[in-house]
Structures are given as C-alpha cells and as structure tokens.
Amino acid sequence: MKASKMLISTLKEAPQEAKIDSHILLLRAGMMKAQVAGVYQFLPLGLRVLHKIENIIREEMDNAGCLEILCSALQPKELWEESGRWSKYGPELMRFTDRHERDFCLGPTHEEIFTSMVRDLVKSSKNLPLNLYQIQTKYRDELRPRFGLMRSREFLMKDAYSFDKDEAGLDVSYQLMFDTYNKIFSRLQLHFQPVLADTGNIGGNASHQFMALSEVGESEIVFCECGYAADVERAECQHGKASLEKLLPLEEVSTPNQRTIEEISNFLRVDTKKTVKTLIYHDYANKELVAVVLRGDREANNVKIVNILNSNENYLELATDEEIKSLDTIHGFVGPIGLKCKVLVDEEVTLMANFIVGANKADTHYLNCNYGRDFEGIVVDIKKVTAGDLCPVCGKPMQQKRGIEVGQIFKLQTKYSKAMNCTYVNEDGKDIPMVMGCYGIGVSRTLQSIVEQYHDEAGIKWPLIVAPYQVVIVPINYNDKEQKALSDFLYDSLKNKAEVILDDRNERPGFKFKDWELIGIPYMIICGKRSNEAVVEFKDRATLVKEEISSSEAINRVLESISNIK
Ligand code: ATP
Ligand code: MG
C-alpha cells in the first residue's frame, strides 16, 4: 500500500469528549470516527485491526469445534416474551415498532434467537453437543456511553451458545470455552485475568469474566495469592469471629445535623467500623421500599441486592426523601430499629456488638445497638468486598485491581431451553430440555483494551499480530533519486511477504514519522542520507530502539518477526 493512496486522517488534537488515552489515540490515529454518542465508524486502518482480532477469535473458536453462523440484529418481541426478558431487560433494550405495529428490538445479546433456532433445527441427541457462534453487531442503549469502544451503544461481539444433553456435557463445553478464551486473549497479547463473575441479566448459575488489567477499567476485581479472583460484584469474603463484647443497653444520643457516617464517627469519636448505616432503596420491579443495613464503612453491592430481590439493576434506585418519610423516618437519621419495610442485613452486622445506628427521628442516634436484640431482618451478603478483606478460600487478605471486561462466559443450564421449549428426545422417547452455556467476547472493546495496554505519549504501539500494517518504509525525501530507488526496492521486496506501506507522500520527514508513531506501525525503515550505500535506519515502535543497518538486514528482521507470529 502506498501512503498517498491510503486514507490517513490523523489529528493533532483529540475531540473533547475523549477522556482516556486509548479513546483519544484511536480518534487521533484515524482508526475510527465518532458518529453520535456511543456510535463509531471504523476507518480503513482501524478496520484492518478489527478484522485481525476477529480472525484470531474465529480460528480459536473453529479449533474448539464451534460452528460459525450469522444472525440478524433484528429480533421479534415474541421470542423475548417467551424467555420473559421483554419486560425484565429494562431500558437498555432498543425497541421499536414496524409499519405493521409489530414490536422488535435490536439484539443486545442473542440467547432467544439461538435457542429458538436450535429448537427448530435439532431434535435428535445425535446432534449434541453443539456450539454455534457468530461475530456480529450488538445494540445496547447504555445509560452513559463513554470511553469510545469501551462502552458504546453499537459494538461488535463474538457470541457463542452451547447445547448439551446434560450438566456433565455443559461442564465440558464450558471448560473448553474457558481454555479457548485463555488462548485468544494470550494470542492478542493482553495482560488479563479470568475472574469469578455474577450472571447479571443473562441468568444461569456460574460465570467467569476475562478482565484486561487496566487502571481505566470500569470493573474492580479482588484477588488472592492462593488463586482466588473475582469481580467485586460477585466477590465474597470471610469474616472474623463474632464480637465477644458484653451487650450494653441501648442509649439515645443527640446528634444535631450529623447525617453522614463520617460526621457521626467524628462527632462521637468512634471508628466508622463501629457504626452501621441503613440505606433505603426503591425496588421498582417489586414496587416496594427496601432497607439495606451495612457496617458504616462498607459500600452496598447493588448486584447482590438485585439478585436477592429478584429485581434488576435498572429498577433499583435510592429512595427519595419523601419516600423515606413515608416510612416514619428521616433522611440522615435512618436506622433499622422498628423500620416498617423489608430489611436486608449484611451478615457482618450480625457479628458486631454495641454499634451506632440512626434513631429514625431528627438529630438523634442510638448507641449500643445489637442485631437480634434490637432489630431483625433477612441476613444476607450485600456488601462490596474490598482490598484487605479476607479471601473466602484461604482466609488471607485480598488485593484489588481494576479491569476492563473483555469477555464473559456463563453456564445458563436450562433457563432458556425450558422457557422456550428447546428439547431433544432421549432414549426413552422423552423430551428433555437441552443444557446451555453462552460465551461472549467484546471484539471492539478488546481492540481498544489493546491500545490501553500498548501505547505511549506519541501514539499506539500495536502488537505485531494485530497491527494494521506490519512495517512502513519512510524515505526522508522521496524526490531524491537514491532514496526513492532504495525505498521502492524495499517495498517491492517486502510487499508479497509482509503487510507494508510505503510513505511516498511529499511531506516533511518529521510529519511522516509523527503519523506512523501515532498510528503505531511496529517497524519503520527510514531511507535517508546513506541510501546510496543501502544503509537504512530501523526503528522498533515497541522498544523505541533505532539502529543503522543494511537494507537486506532490515528485510530479514521484518520477515523473521512475521514468521514468529503465533
Ligand atoms: P458490562 O458489565 O461492561 O456492561 P456486560 O456484562 O453487560 O458488560 P455481556 O452481556 O457479558 O456484557 O457481553 C459480552 C461482552 O460484550 C462483554 O464482556 C464486553 O466485552 C462486551 N460489551 C458489553 N457491553 C458493551 C458495550 N456497551 N460496549 C462495548 N462492549 C460491550
Ligand atoms: Mg458481562
């Protein structure tokens, strides 16, 4: 490819809305272009990277015996009613009505479609196990689309669905996908960590996420040296022993204007760990107010809460002051004693003694409150685990990191096959629901995660395996006869063996170098003053090492690196 024929649309400055390095660089390097919030067009260079990532995924899925298909993004409401998700999925589902008043959605995921397809096509157990996948565009009306391809409203996903005769079969299919994901993300050279995960909107009873480790990741994970690793939405922890303190009598204290846990603990000069907070939520799915009782320094874990309430994160909000008042209490002074609503109590609170709670009247708290004696509730795990909490497996303190969720796999079991009648006939002639798994990779999010892990101030540093082009030849001055001759020679020598660009543009050398550093081509061969001796400068984008070598050595280096791509 000649640079003069390429659509190179690099920008000096990134558009304002781009906040993180990878988003800024993808826009500045002209890999993609923003359309409206959360919607992007891939430009020629970006599309080449996307295709390479897709192909690695495709190769590994095919190696694992999965079969590729391609479904429409358009999905009829009827199938979503069969699974029960039309009403449950919430406002993220992009719905619309056609000219005949039929309701549709643009698929955010494809469980319903694959389940209905397999129900129609597969009757005999001879066809099982079966794992079908596609690489296809998904739509989610995200509340806050941001960070470019990380959280967009239209994105490319690889989704796969496995169908087995029984649980044992699902275990095998699931493990095979777990191993396949490890291969895919390793080949893509991501620094990643598989973690235990919540099953969210998809359902089922076991799940792992694959996290690309990054400070800008929206997910938090906790992990332990023993190997336990989990998304904080899902993470559990061990607790110390129950307090042995003698229970003291409940005592009312005046706490004028002391509303937050910090204010109260400062005012009463106690550790926040000696306080307990009570949050009131409105669960719109079940149309009720719910109290959540946690140790004062803890954060509530909304995912655990909606799982317990059989609700949905989109339908759970903190109650308004008015709603709190309707429970005969007052914002800032809410406590668990005598509350007239469903009360969820974090299990840790039941191990505490003589703690401080709101007294449900203005400017007042109680000292020496105790679970069981002063109030009761449904005892559950509803806290967000953090660094320092004790590992649920080995009891050692855990550490915390941030990650970008690039993939997730789920054991769905019979959630969809039962609801949608996707069965096979067993030896006794009985209809048995198939046992399903589903497996997603955010292809476009993965692309941006690679940039997040591979860049510097000057631009992207694509790993060779996904780079839009592998090598660029840059003559300092293409009008110089000798430089032109050497550049053309190198280009002709490499063009059938490597993905090579010749920068034949009539631009200043500094301008050209900046472009290729921003775009992130792994190798640059510069033809300058010593072209008459067939000596070039060879620059490695990853290491920034620049060396003068012969043009034949430059060719060999490029070809050798390419032959080492796995
Ligand atoms: P998240 O928790 O980040 O919203 P999710 O758990 O809802 O993601 P899944 O249903 O597991 O996502 O989808 C499979 C994969 O698709 C995810 O692991 C992620 O990589 C990708 N993905 C999901 N939502 C988006 C989005 N809005 N933009 C880009 N990629 C996404
Ligand atoms: Mg997920």
Side-chain angles (χ1 to χ4, degrees):
M1 169 59 67
K2 303 262 175 81
S4 58
K5 302 274 186 301
M6 167 58 75
L7 181 62
I8 298 173
S9 44
T10 48
L11 304 171
K12 271 219 171 69
E13 303 280 335
Q16 277 252 309
E17 82 267 9
K19 301 278 183 260
I20 59 173
D21 289 352
S22 52
H23 187 197
I24 293 171
L25 289 174
L26 284 172
L27 292 171
R28 281 194 53 216
M31 298 281 154
M32 64 181 198
K33 192 170 178 345
Q35 177 69 62
V36 290
V39 179
Y40 293 88
Q41 338 279 17
F42 280 92
L43 299 179
L45 290 168
L47 188 62
R48 287 178 71 92
V49 180
L50 195 69
H51 283 157
K52 288 188 176 186
I53 297 172
E54 275 182 39
N55 283 337
I56 288 169
I57 295 172
R58 189 170 275 124
E59 264 174 46
E60 294 301 333
M61 292 300 288
D62 292 348
N63 281 342
C66 308
L67 302 172
E68 185 171 5
I69 63 170
L70 183 58
C71 297
S72 168
L74 273 189
Q75 305 190 9
K77 173 188 178 186
E78 291 73 27
L79 289 180
W80 283 71
E81 281 185 326
E82 278 189 50
S83 71
R85 285 207 294 185
W86 186 259
S87 56
K88 232 194 139 187
Y89 206 91
E92 233 176 61
L93 191 62
M94 291 206 179
R95 305 159 204 250
F96 66 97
T97 308
D98 74 3
R99 63 169 77 187
H100 306 295
E101 299 295 312
R102 266 191 82 181
D103 289 320
F104 288 86
C105 66
L106 290 174
T109 174
H110 273 68
E111 281 77 11
E112 284 78 2
I113 299 294
F114 277 65
T115 309
S116 78
M117 181 184 298
V118 170
R119 137 179 106 187
D120 293 345
L121 298 179
V122 178
K123 280 287 154 235
S124 160
S125 63
K126 280 192 225 112
N127 294 108
L128 303 179
L130 179 67
N131 191 331
L132 298 174
Y133 78 98
Q134 63 175 345
I135 298 176
Q136 184 263 3
T137 307
K138 297 282 185 277
Y139 296 87
R140 294 185 185 181
D141 199 358
E142 297 278 355
L143 183 59
R144 274 183 287 277
R146 57 186 175 156
F147 301 155
L149 305 175
M150 296 287 191
R151 185 163 301 284
S152 45
R153 297 199 293 169
E154 182 188 90
F155 59 96
L156 196 63
M157 197 202 283
K158 185 286 296 173
D159 48 330
Y161 306 83
S162 67
F163 299 83
D164 273 280
K165 279 194 283 194
D166 49 30
E167 286 281 331
L170 170 60
D171 288 347
V172 174
S173 299
Y174 186 87
Q175 185 62 43
L176 180 58
M177 283 298 103
F178 184 88
D179 296 341
T180 301
Y181 275 39
N182 277 308
K183 282 190 196 145
I184 291 170
F185 294 121
S186 300
R187 282 186 67 189
L188 292 171
Q189 296 186 29
L190 275 178
H191 308 289
F192 71 99
Q193 166 82 53
V195 300
L196 290 169
D198 180 72
T199 51
N201 253 336
I202 310 278
N205 78 337
S207 176
H208 285 88
Q209 283 164 337
F210 289 77
M211 297 289 189
L213 300 174
S214 163
E215 274 309 304
V216 303
E218 290 188 279
S219 304
E220 289 171 284
I221 62 176
V222 289
F223 59 98
C224 176
E225 56 191 47
C226 77
Y228 176 81
D231 186 299
V232 291
E233 290 181 344
R234 161 65 208 270
E236 295 163 2
C237 67
Q238 286 184 24
H239 301 108
K241 297 222 163 65
S243 166
L244 296 174
E245 270 179 56
K246 193 167 149 246
L247 303 194
L248 301 173
L250 199 64
E251 188 184 324
E252 203 175 288
V253 282
S254 169
T255 50
N257 283 324
Q258 310 298 311
R259 287 187 165 76
T260 65
I261 289 292
E262 280 64 42
E263 285 167 352
I264 277 297
S265 55
N266 284 337
F267 184 77
L268 298 173
R269 299 219 172 85
V270 293
D271 190 335
T272 50
K273 289 192 170 63
K274 261 299 206 189
T275 67
V276 159
K277 65 180 163 200
T278 305
L279 305 167
I280 307 290
Y281 282 91
H282 191 153
D283 170 10
Y284 287 92
N286 297 301
K287 301 190 179 60
E288 61 178 350
L289 297 178
V290 180
V292 164
V293 181
L294 296 156
R295 198 174 75 190
D297 61 318
R298 289 288 190 187
E299 258 183 74
N301 183 330
N302 284 5
V303 172
K304 289 181 181 174
I305 295 172
V306 296
N307 287 345
I308 289 160
L309 297 175
N310 193 20
S311 179
N312 173 310
E313 265 191 283
N314 290 313
Y315 292 118
L316 190 74
E317 276 177 30
L318 281 172
T320 62
D321 287 1
E322 282 306 304
E323 287 165 341
I324 292 175
K325 248 191 209 153
S326 75
L327 295 175
D328 287 336
T329 178
I330 173 165
H331 178 74
F333 301 92
V334 183
I337 301 178
L339 260 191
K340 289 184 201 64
C341 66
K342 184 184 275 178
V343 179
L344 303 181
V345 181
D346 187 63
E347 52 201 10
E348 188 172 52
V349 172
T350 67
L351 304 172
M352 297 167 64
N354 303 325
F355 46 82
I356 294 158
V357 295
N360 296 322
K361 51 186 175 182
D363 300 335
T364 319
H365 280 77
Y366 285 122
L367 307 181
N368 304 327
C369 177
N370 286 288
Y371 180 78
R373 184 190 71 180
D374 303 320
F375 72 97
E376 287 189 338
I378 306 165
V379 178
V380 275
D381 172 17
I382 40 174
K383 70 185 145 313
K384 215 164 160 184
V385 168
T386 69
D389 282 335
L390 306 180
C391 171
V393 179
C394 75
K396 290 212 184 91
M398 293 187 283
Q399 286 174 282
Q400 197 167 349
K401 271 194 187 157
R402 300 195 77 84
I404 304 161
E405 181 198 318
V406 283
Q408 185 162 13
I409 60 179
F410 302 82
K411 283 188 187 170
L412 296 173
Q413 298 179 302
T414 52
K415 177 177 160 150
Y416 294 90
S417 51
K418 265 192 187 147
M420 300 183 69
N421 235 350
C422 177
T423 59
Y424 69 95
V425 184
N426 75 356
E427 299 88 47
D428 307 333
K430 260 175 74 184
D431 284 338
I432 309 287
M434 295 183 201
V435 184
M436 291 174 57
C438 80
Y439 316 93
I441 291 182
V443 182
S444 40
R445 185 185 280 185
T446 297
L447 182 149
Q448 191 170 325
S449 304
I450 296 174
V451 179
E452 200 51 56
Q453 292 188 350
Y454 291 90
H455 74 271
D456 60 15
E457 299 85 72
I460 306 172
K461 298 172 160 190
W462 291 113
L464 193 58
I465 190 161
V466 293
Y469 286 88
Q470 296 159 331
V471 52
V472 57
I473 299 160
V474 185
I476 298 285
N477 176 3
Y478 197 55
N479 294 323
D480 177 279
K481 239 167 110 193
E482 272 157 351
Q483 292 184 26
K484 180 174 188 308
L486 185 60
S487 306
D488 289 347
F489 167 76
L490 282 166
Y491 181 67
D492 290 335
S493 311
L494 284 170
K495 86 177 167 216
N496 295 322
K497 300 178 191 140
E499 295 167 20
V500 54
I501 303 187
L502 170 62
D503 196 344
D504 56 346
R505 294 176 299 170
N506 197 7
E507 298 283 359
R508 283 175 297 104
F511 179 93
K512 294 193 277 196
F513 296 154
K514 275 219 172 81
D515 262 1
W516 301 116
E517 273 163 10
L518 178 56
I519 290 167
I521 305 299
Y523 300 116
M524 193 189 296
I525 304 176
I526 303 161
C527 301
K529 278 206 247 35
R530 296 184 68 188
S531 291
N532 57 341
E533 306 163 60
V535 171
V536 296
E537 271 189 310
F538 189 85
K539 201 167 170 190
D540 184 320
R541 182 70 187 90
T543 61
L544 303 178
V545 172
K546 202 168 160 182
E547 285 169 275
E548 281 205 330
I549 56 175
S550 71
S551 54
S552 54
E553 166 73 6
I555 293 173
N556 287 342
R557 281 202 195 176
V558 171
L559 296 182
E560 200 189 316
S561 302
I562 292 171
S563 71
N564 286 332
I565 294 178
K566 291 194 186 77

